[in-house]
Amino acid sequence: MTSLPSLVWSSRESIRAQLISLLNATPPESLDTRRRIVWMLGSFGGVEQLPLFRELLLNPNEDFYLRDLALRAGAKHGLELSEQEFLHLDAESRDRSGPAFVVLQLLSFARLASFGPAMEEALLRLSPGLRAYLLVAQRRNPSAPQSPKRSRPTGAPVSRLNRGSTLLPILSRSVVNQPPAFPEWLFARWYHADRHLLQEEQVDSCQRLNLCVALAWRERPEVWPLFTEWAAEAPDWDELRVDWGVSRDELARITRTAPGLHQRAAEALSLPLPDLIAHWGEEPLLLRIERALRTESMASRVPCLVVKHPHAYAWARDLLFDWDVAQRRVLYPFLCDAVMASEVRSDLLEHLSDHDRSAAVRWALAAGRYPGNTAPINTVLRHVVAHTPTAEDRPLLLSALHGANEQMRGLAVSGLVALGESGPAWTDTLRALVHESSPDIRIPAAAGLVQQGQREWLTLLRHMATEAPSKDVKANAIRWLGRLDGGTSRDVFAQVLASAATSGEDALKSFSRPLAVAPEVEAALEALSHGGTDEDLCLLLNAGLRLGCPLLLEELWSHHLARPEDRMSHNEPAGG
């Protein structure tokens, strides 16, 4: 990459002016740099840049991926297009080969100035399924299930825990709210025509899409009879399970008029606790919760799809923390049952740590006396270390420190250092641990010695931050340097960023999702953000020109731009 001028962190207005000046000075052939500048203007620009974003977007001679970035940057500041501009961009997809804009993409990022017959005609050219996608996407946060909360336990596979939680790809990203006439037209079209066309497809995904529309627009009285109709017409339709994006109370209301659907919701354990007790009785309900947990355990142990993961598991787990009887009679016995899959026990302990951390720590401390509990205890330790250890956690940390598992010992050292352990005996322990073979132990031990005033151990941390063969080990060392020595180790962070592989052209072309960065690069960015000095923030700002377009950078920039003190940068002269 050619040498780039350095940007100076200051006010949003000054950074914006620097970026625009740099964009004007960058030759057209430097596509990577121009793309990154436009992306950065999405974070540092404002409504004043909308004419620029519009000009880039509507220019067919510009690089398509730069135009796409202009569309996305403009979306952050309320970009609005006329019907004619929408249709002109959509027509490009039929008039040219290669990448081009389509209506579905444009409607996700730009607001229609008005909705009229021309757009109606364009929407009629889409399939019923795509129109249904657009209709659901107009709801706020449509894909986030309100109950149960499906958090990801440490180390658990994403695919296992997120199964079924995302109905439709388009719902996983935010979309621009269009003029009221737009969703009204789509809803009327769906209710009177498209839902029938989708139903005729006799394809599960089309039927599921109908259900998704009805759930998303459940405040409309027209959709309530549909739940009863679908339950009556398709009693064996497994996909008619109402556990997406609605609360237990809403599920009870939706299913109350449809006995078949109500039965299915009760079997899925997705109704409110009083309704479930009334439906099953306490003892049968406890047995159903146990069955859901055991089936999930079996599905986690056997090869994929031999045993299906039960839909009721997440709801059953939710009940364990809402119902003290289930917690006492099901949760704690199951946590102690070594026959249960360690993934399931770890999942339960992650949620117990969220709800009652002291109970999880007490369990882990007692479980350490018995074999077969390494993975679940490790889950509790990770939660403790990630959420600021307290004095109540100290016995568990000390117990893990004297155990045999290297990973757990490393977590214990990290937790005790974060807790502020001190004294001659602790220093002697750290001196011994810093010579261990495992970097998971050596790095926090060296950090602990630095914390005790022995700054010569910074040399080891700096060496591991740049020379360790593992990216994760580098990241761990960098995180400790950021906490203990951010100012004098700034050159290390800069070195890590400078040596990081910049995103190639193919990576820059894909902006359907934020670009990821290597663990050590992420740690260096966070260390600079933690330091927060003008020098740190200048490095953080210039990383945007060299590292591609990671979401992390946008978040860190936004954090510092929104800092309450909004201090005057030392790099910017004071003025009136």
Side-chain angles (χ1 to χ4, degrees), residues 98-115:
F101 296 107
V102 293
V103 166
L104 197 65
Q105 176 190 13
L106 293 168
L107 288 170
S108 297
F109 294 102
R111 179 179 169 86
L112 275 165
S114 61
F115 180 72

Side-chain angles (χ1 to χ4, degrees), residues 14-31:
S14 176
I15 296 171
R16 179 190 308 159
Q18 294 175 65
L19 289 169
I20 292 174
S21 176
L22 182 57
L23 181 64
N24 292 334
T26 302
E29 58 269 19
S30 299
L31 288 178

